[in-house]
Amino acid sequence: MAVNEDGLNRREPLVLGIESSCDETGVGIVRGRKLLANVIASSMDEHARYGGVVPEVAARAHLEAMAPTIREAVTTAGIELDDIDAVAVANGPGLAGALMVGVGAAKALALALDKPIFAVNHLVGHVGADVLSPEGQLAYPQVALLVSGGHTSLLLVRDLTSDVELLGETVDDAAGEAFDKVARILGLPYPGGPQIDRAAADGDPKAIRFPRGLSQPKDMDAHRYDFSFSGLKTAVARWVEVRRDAGEPVPLADVAASFREAVVDVLVSKAIAACTDLGVPRLLLGGGVTANARLREVAAERCGAAGIELRVPEFSLCTDNGAMIAALGAELIMAGAAPSPLSFGADSTLPATEICVS
Ligand code: KG4
Ligand code: ZN
């Protein structure tokens, strides 16, 4: 074992990662780039009747789930808590109260075990999930498109541990949030993404031409890599309202398919534009919306045509999880990064460029 002069095993560190930015309590354990455990407790069902994640409910659920989830991860990994070399925790971006639970638990663990702690960026963690991929990590530089209920971000990753640039992000709703809101308009339950995906399977994606946000020539200077989904959501709501007011039936499958097509078209077009403009022939997808069947299909088609290598991690590593946080922590340790001072806090608006608190 290569132990650095600071006493930290930097060769294949055993890292426990905690993620609590939204409604998943995730605890993962990795040894270097090897995944040992990825345990997730979700409070999604508790939010269903509100049609979206309720921050206070999520924070309370994290409090209840944290200790049992840590215990289960340790058991699954077949280790003793004392064996770990370091603790990693996502300290932002995300819901402040939810993040605080993970940060508090991680600090308590690090103090009790007398181990170093690494406070890492949740978004960069999504990119970090790829180091666990069996094919080996996608080469640098890479463009990453992160799409979930909480974020829609396009990143240029030159190096996971030292150089991440935010190319663009949503100016209003996140992509997953748009799926959830449109599902609600259509009378489908939360979470809306899988529901719309299912309803869209029998629909015609060209039936209705819904708007593609921030995709006009006039948007290309200031918002080339930014996203906007609230206009699309309003357009769907109005289209449905007009039919309902006229007493006409709403063709659910066609609306779902046309809406899904508009979201996917914008996501993939902007991601490919970034790859092409920057001369980066590698695209990584992450976040819960990557479960979307049409997104996977269109991304594969258009990346294939443009000569871009496409990577979509296994789904359990795409949604919020602790393994990606542990993986990013391990990468930082292997790259020689210093641990975070214990004074760090949760930062709900942490920018993607801040990879680790130092
Ligand atoms: O990454 P994730 O599990 O959690 C956070 O948002 O943090 O993503 C959940 C989001 C929800 O908005 C959900 O509707 C969306 O991902 N989603 C989908 C699909 N499955 C989940 N969106 C579109 N199509 C899907 N098949
Ligand atoms: Zn996330």
Side-chain angles (χ1 to χ4, degrees):
M1 184 190 294
V3 177
N4 190 276
E5 63 271 17
D6 59 8
L8 187 51
N9 165 24
R10 292 194 183 266
R11 227 171 76 89
E12 279 198 315
L14 184 63
V15 182
L16 182 144
I18 296 180
E19 148 62 42
S20 67
S21 65
C22 191
D23 60 343
E24 276 104 5
T25 311
V27 180
I29 299 175
V30 304
R31 190 185 297 280
R33 292 180 174 164
K34 188 166 187 284
L35 176 64
L36 302 184
N38 183 18
V39 181
I40 295 165
S42 173
S43 60
M44 188 187 284
D45 294 347
E46 294 175 50
H47 308 287
R49 64 192 166 114
Y50 304 105
V53 176
V54 182
E56 291 79 4
V57 174
R60 176 163 291 275
H62 285 306
L63 270 178
E64 285 164 11
M66 192 57 74
T69 309
I70 292 173
R71 245 178 268 126
E72 194 184 330
V74 167
T75 308
T76 308
I79 61 158
E80 299 292 329
L81 251 187
D82 204 41
D83 296 340
I84 62 168
D85 293 305
V87 178
V89 61
N91 75 315
L95 303 171
L99 287 165
M100 265 181 235
V101 179
V103 165
K107 284 186 183 179
L109 206 55
L111 273 174
L113 299 170
D114 194 20
K115 305 287 178 180
I117 189 166
F118 289 79
V120 306
N121 191 296
H122 166 87
L123 285 180
V124 183
H126 275 292
V127 183
D130 183 46
V131 304
L132 302 172
S133 129
E135 305 105 296
Q137 190 193 3
L138 200 59
Y140 296 129
Q142 49 186 246
V143 169
L145 172 67
L146 308 178
V147 276
S148 77
H151 37 78
T152 305
S153 312
L154 204 50
L155 308 179
L156 172 61
V157 182
R158 293 192 194 87
D159 186 306
L160 180 67
T161 60
S162 62
D163 192 349
V164 175
E165 188 185 324
L166 178 71
L167 296 173
E169 61 191 337
T170 181
V171 299
D172 41 53
D173 294 344
E177 194 180 356
F179 272 95
D180 296 334
K181 288 180 173 171
V182 166
R184 206 172 178 181
I185 292 165
L186 296 174
L188 298 170
Y190 174 85
Q195 299 284 337
I196 291 197
D197 219 6
R198 223 167 291 140
D202 304 322
D204 174 5
K206 294 201 176 83
I208 310 151
R209 175 78 193 177
F210 285 128
R212 270 69 170 157
L214 296 181
S215 297
Q216 301 298 318
K218 68 175 168 52
D219 303 317
M220 288 302 119
D221 282 343
H223 294 293
R224 185 164 179 78
Y225 305 129
D226 288 329
F227 303 89
S228 167
F229 296 108
S230 89
L232 169 61
K233 172 196 66 192
T234 307
V236 175
R238 284 197 52 97
W239 197 94
V240 169
E241 196 185 326
V242 168
R243 299 299 170 300
R244 282 187 182 143
D245 286 352
E248 291 173 20
V250 174
L252 180 66
D254 283 350
V255 176
S258 301
F259 161 75
R260 181 177 70 166
E261 198 66 12
V263 175
V264 167
D265 185 18
V266 172
L267 290 175
V268 177
S269 299
K270 294 208 173 213
I272 291 196
C275 290
T276 311
D277 296 348
L278 302 167
V280 174
R282 285 168 291 271
L283 175 63
L284 173 74
L285 302 187
V289 179
T290 57
N292 192 274
R294 186 70 185 141
L295 175 61
R296 286 168 173 257
E297 197 173 79
V298 173
E301 264 169 34
R302 295 205 208 157
C303 282
I308 295 166
E309 186 182 354
L310 175 68
R311 180 66 66 81
V312 192
E314 186 191 309
F315 188 59
S316 61
L317 292 172
C318 273
T319 55
D320 288 344
N321 67 86
M324 68 186 192
I325 301 302
L328 177 54
E331 290 299 308
L332 284 158
I333 294 170
M334 292 189 283
S340 306
L342 265 180
S343 53
F344 75 86
D347 184 347
S348 60
T349 58
L350 187 68
T353 43
E354 289 178 28
I355 301 169
C356 179
V357 177
S358 58

